[in-house]
Amino acid sequence: MDRDLDPHLLRALLAAAEAGTISAAAERLSRTQAAVSMQLQRLEGDLGARLLDRTPRGVSLTQAGETLAAYARRLLALTSDARRQIEGRQLAGRVRLGLVEDLTMTQLPLALAEFRQQHPKIQLDLMTAHSPELDSAVREGRCDIVIGDPARFGSAPHFHWSRRLVWGGSRLIDLSDAAPVPFVAFEESCTWQDRTAVAFAEAGITWTIACHVTTFAALVGALRAGLGISLMLPETLPADCETLAPRIRLPAPPSAHFGLFLGEEPSNPTRLLAAFLRDRLVA
């Protein structure tokens, strides 16, 4: 007789897949390692299929696991939406959200618009800043939620995700093989830029900082002016710029890592927004 899949078991599978180890998944779920292992074994028993490949280094999804994980994300997102629609429609309050400026050019604003439509009584206040400033803002209680580079924070994120970056620059920029690659850099230390130096060094490519910028808007202006190239999220490239990897020899771009951080004793509206963003942002 067919039985409905237990959402707690599905969450255990997704946590193991995202964390890479059972112990890390258990920590994320605030459960013991033995309890999470039993949940995963029960799920595999219910379905009669092996969902995880287990090695001394960790776990990874099998083909059956990949299929179930895709459905699990959709099912849990629908469950969360239903709960929010019923319980959260009348929820009122204020949430102060801080984020790195790049994210204002991604799908995040559309997600916030959807949240606002579902929860019209929750006021959203937004600010942008560099990750170290966001770390201070959430620790000092000036923000309820912040999203930034986990490497620049002093605590672990509520959840995290990664995005592949691209090399971006003007279509008119002249990048000769003989000259060093011109790079547009933020004045403040940036993890992406640290990885850039390593990538160029490993590839044996000479490069130079063509100009410094202090804001994302200034970075876009420098790219459009053809002053240099930079690492970008694909959707943040201006219309008159392009992905450069097919045109010139460049090292493979690194991934950008993002984390969502909560302040102490988050309110119900804050928890609601955090859960909503997790469903929308974590692929």
Side-chain angles (χ1 to χ4, degrees), residues 39-228:
Q39 285 182 312
L40 295 171
Q41 291 169 8
R42 177 182 163 192
L43 185 59
E44 289 179 322
D46 285 349
L47 292 172
R50 185 167 54 86
L51 303 174
L52 291 169
D53 282 326
R54 297 165 173 84
T55 70
R57 290 177 297 177
V59 296
S60 60
L61 292 170
T62 63
Q63 184 173 357
E66 292 280 5
T67 300
L68 180 59
Y71 280 103
R73 292 186 182 99
R74 290 161 58 187
L75 287 169
L76 294 176
L78 286 172
T79 300
S80 297
D81 280 345
R83 180 179 293 277
R84 282 193 291 266
Q85 288 292 335
I86 295 171
E87 297 180 350
R89 186 71 184 175
Q90 300 305 314
L91 193 62
R94 175 187 178 211
V95 181
R96 299 163 298 172
L97 172 63
L99 58 149
V100 288
E101 195 175 4
D102 307 58
L103 292 177
T104 63
M105 302 295 291
T106 66
Q107 77 274 24
L108 180 59
L110 294 178
L112 295 176
E114 182 183 354
F115 179 84
R116 176 68 172 158
Q117 185 177 29
Q118 293 182 12
H119 309 286
K121 294 186 178 182
I122 297 179
Q123 176 185 338
L124 297 179
D125 296 340
L126 302 181
M127 66 166 282
T128 61
H130 295 297
S131 291
E133 299 171 59
L134 295 172
D135 182 28
S136 298
V138 74
R139 284 190 291 103
E140 295 169 3
R142 291 181 282 113
C143 280
D144 304 303
I145 298 177
V146 297
I147 302 175
D149 180 357
R152 303 291 171 172
F153 283 73
S155 59
H158 184 60
F159 64 86
H160 60 88
W161 69 101
S162 299
R163 292 284 313 281
R164 175 64 67 178
L165 297 168
V166 298
W167 294 108
S170 169
R171 296 188 180 93
L172 303 178
I173 192 171
D174 182 18
L175 295 169
S176 64
D177 292 336
V181 175
F183 187 76
V184 179
F186 281 104
E187 284 189 350
E188 186 167 326
S189 177
C190 171
T191 302
W192 301 3
Q193 292 172 186
D194 296 343
R195 292 178 182 153
T196 298
V198 173
F200 277 128
E202 290 178 345
I205 299 173
T206 58
W207 64 289
T208 185
I209 295 180
C211 72
H212 285 96
V213 295
T214 57
T215 66
F216 181 75
L219 171 66
V220 170
L223 294 184
R224 297 182 65 191
L227 301 183

Side-chain angles (χ1 to χ4, degrees), residues 8-33:
H8 294 93
L9 305 186
L10 297 178
R11 288 191 178 91
L13 176 68
L14 294 180
E18 293 169 5
T21 64
I22 302 299
S23 60
E27 183 177 352
R28 180 177 297 186
L29 296 169
S30 299
R31 306 207 62 178
T32 65
Q33 184 172 339

